[in-house]
Amino acid sequence: MLLFKESLIVESLVSMTPCLRSCLLRLRSAAFIAVVACGMSACEDATGVQSKVVKPAPVMKSSFTCVVTVASRDMSCSETSEDASSSSGVRANRIIGGQDIYIKLASSGTAYDVGTQILSSNVTVQNLAQTLMGTGDGVTVDGLSVFLVSEPVVSSGTGAVTVANPDGIGVFTGTNQPYFLYSEILEPYQISTSRIWQFSAPPTVDVFEFVVYVSVPVVDAEAKLVDAVWNGVATGDWFGASNWVGGSAPEDTSVVAIPRLSLLAVDAFQPEISADEVVSSLRVGEGSVLTLNGYKIEVTDNVDAPGSIANGTVRSTGASALIGGNFPALEVSGSARLQRPTVANGAVSVSGTLLVKDNPLTVVIPE
């Protein structure tokens, strides 16, 4: 299984071909986080290879390196510090990183075919921010690009590894960078459709490495990326302002993030509510637990709980909500769709609609 431990959003530019420069001139005016893709379409150079281009920005100073062990079908990605001020063409002006903070890469079904010498995995991107991702105007699909800084480097064994099925070769932080394009707009906490990544790797390769970034256009680059982020530094009181980053407890229109347990301080408290609550969107990261103490939390948009929500009721009232994870009792009065396997440790009541196609719903009724 490929395990993406960290991810990152950046904005960048390097030199461009005449074709790409012409393409850039057709861009509509819009605010972007990360690398700016070439508007609604991409150029092709003389060889027919699809390309992307990005705009000017200051120097970037960090990266993430992924290490793949072929025999065990294992990948891990971790942050590495580097001073890029002396590196030609490597530029960025806003770096947003950290798995389970603003964006998440995940994979499944990793396999290696000795006959074809192809290592493949199904990779998804999840938007963990409050803003739409993959669009510059809220309507047009620009998509999300996950790109490699360069082709993989073999660190153990012999032979060469290349990306076997990129959607194109882009100009992001340098030239000739393969990328995978997720052609969709992601709402807060929405998981993308899965894309198959393939690497051509002979069996003589034991370990290879590459650096990966995520390039994401958004509607408003100046907007807060998450309204309320739990840190639990004082108590477990959900309504206590000091327990939230920035010192403000969630409001009923807030996009709320409870980070995965490993991202919280070792002595951090887990959140508990002491009255019924309403939020816009909610995510409880892996290992963390939101305890409802018998109360009800109403979520008017998407709710994602790869961690756990316990001892109470989650009420989904969104018109087209995405839900998934580990819940206590669940009420759906709007229209909702499961986007990951879901467990309800209590009764499930549906007065609206709940689509469970392609994802199982397990109901466990406490004795």
Side-chain angles (χ1 to χ4, degrees):
M1 177 179 180
L2 300 185
L3 176 61
F4 290 91
K5 294 182 179 177
E6 299 289 346
S7 62
L8 157 84
I9 307 175
V10 295
E11 181 172 272
S12 59
L13 168 80
V14 293
S15 59
M16 60 192 77
T17 65
C19 172
L20 294 176
R21 187 178 298 108
S22 173
C23 186
L24 180 59
L25 293 175
R26 297 198 299 272
L27 279 170
R28 291 169 290 102
S29 176
F32 287 76
I33 287 178
V35 179
V36 177
C38 194
M40 293 179 290
S41 62
C43 288
E44 291 188 358
D45 60 22
T47 65
V49 177
Q50 194 175 58
S51 301
K52 283 180 177 286
V53 67
V54 295
K55 70 176 184 178
V59 173
M60 178 178 62
K61 293 183 181 293
S62 68
S63 64
F64 291 80
T65 301
C66 298
V67 179
V68 181
T69 304
V70 177
S72 60
R73 282 63 162 167
D74 177 74
M75 175 190 289
S76 61
C77 298
S78 58
E79 185 176 8
T80 55
S81 297
E82 64 178 21
D83 186 348
S85 58
S86 62
S87 300
S88 175
V90 182
R91 307 174 68 83
N93 83 340
R94 192 172 185 184
I95 299 174
I96 304 171
Q99 191 78 313
D100 283 302
I101 298 178
Y102 298 112
I103 200 163
K104 180 182 179 70
L105 297 178
S107 68
S108 62
T110 305
Y112 180 68
D113 189 315
V114 177
T116 62
Q117 300 183 8
I118 293 293
L119 185 143
S120 62
S121 187
N122 301 306
V123 182
T124 60
V125 181
Q126 184 176 15
N127 174 14
L128 303 187
Q130 73 166 16
T131 184
L132 294 174
M133 286 186 177
T135 179
D137 59 11
V139 177
T140 305
V141 178
D142 298 312
L144 301 85
S145 297
V146 183
F147 69 95
L148 281 69
V149 170
S150 61
E151 291 284 3
V153 175
V154 175
S155 56
S156 177
T158 59
V161 177
T162 59
V163 179
N165 66 330
D167 290 308
I169 305 298
V171 180
F172 296 98
T173 60
T175 58
N176 300 318
Q177 294 175 314
Y179 66 88
F180 296 95
L181 177 63
Y182 292 75
S183 298
E184 54 192 300
I185 298 172
L186 296 184
E187 299 176 12
Y189 302 142
Q190 182 175 1
I191 301 171
S192 73
T193 54
S194 180
R195 295 294 317 278
I196 298 177
W197 292 19
Q198 294 181 340
F199 297 90
S200 177
T204 53
V205 172
D206 298 321
V207 179
F208 64 88
E209 304 177 7
F210 60 88
V211 176
V212 63
Y213 296 125
V214 182
S215 162
V216 188
V218 297
V219 175
D220 184 2
E222 301 302 321
K224 291 190 302 181
L225 292 181
V226 178
D227 292 318
V229 180
W230 176 264
N231 59 24
V233 296
T235 68
D237 181 12
W238 171 283
F239 300 102
S242 60
N243 292 312
W244 298 90
V245 175
S248 296
E251 300 177 352
D252 58 6
T253 58
S254 295
V255 174
V256 179
I258 301 169
R260 65 183 302 159
L261 185 61
S262 63
L263 294 178
L264 295 172
V266 293
D267 57 350
F269 293 89
Q270 290 289 291
E272 299 187 29
I273 70 171
S274 55
D276 289 345
E277 175 67 315
V278 178
V279 298
S280 173
S281 293
L282 171 66
R283 187 171 197 267
V284 182
E286 287 90 340
S288 290
V289 179
L290 168 59
T291 301
L292 303 183
N293 288 316
Y295 293 101
K296 180 180 296 186
I297 187 165
E298 178 181 338
V299 184
T300 60
D301 204 339
N302 301 332
V303 54
D304 189 49
S308 181
I309 305 173
N311 191 23
T313 302
V314 174
R315 185 168 186 245
S316 172
T317 60
S320 56
L322 299 169
I323 64 177
N326 300 293
F327 296 88
L330 176 63
E331 296 179 1
V332 178
S333 61
S335 175
R337 172 174 65 85
L338 297 188
Q339 68 167 350
R340 66 164 78 238
T342 300
V343 176
N345 291 288
V348 175
S349 172
V350 181
S351 57
T353 60
L354 176 61
L355 180 63
V356 299
K357 182 181 179 182
D358 300 327
N359 284 296
L361 172 61
T362 302
V363 181
V364 180
I365 304 297
E367 295 181 357

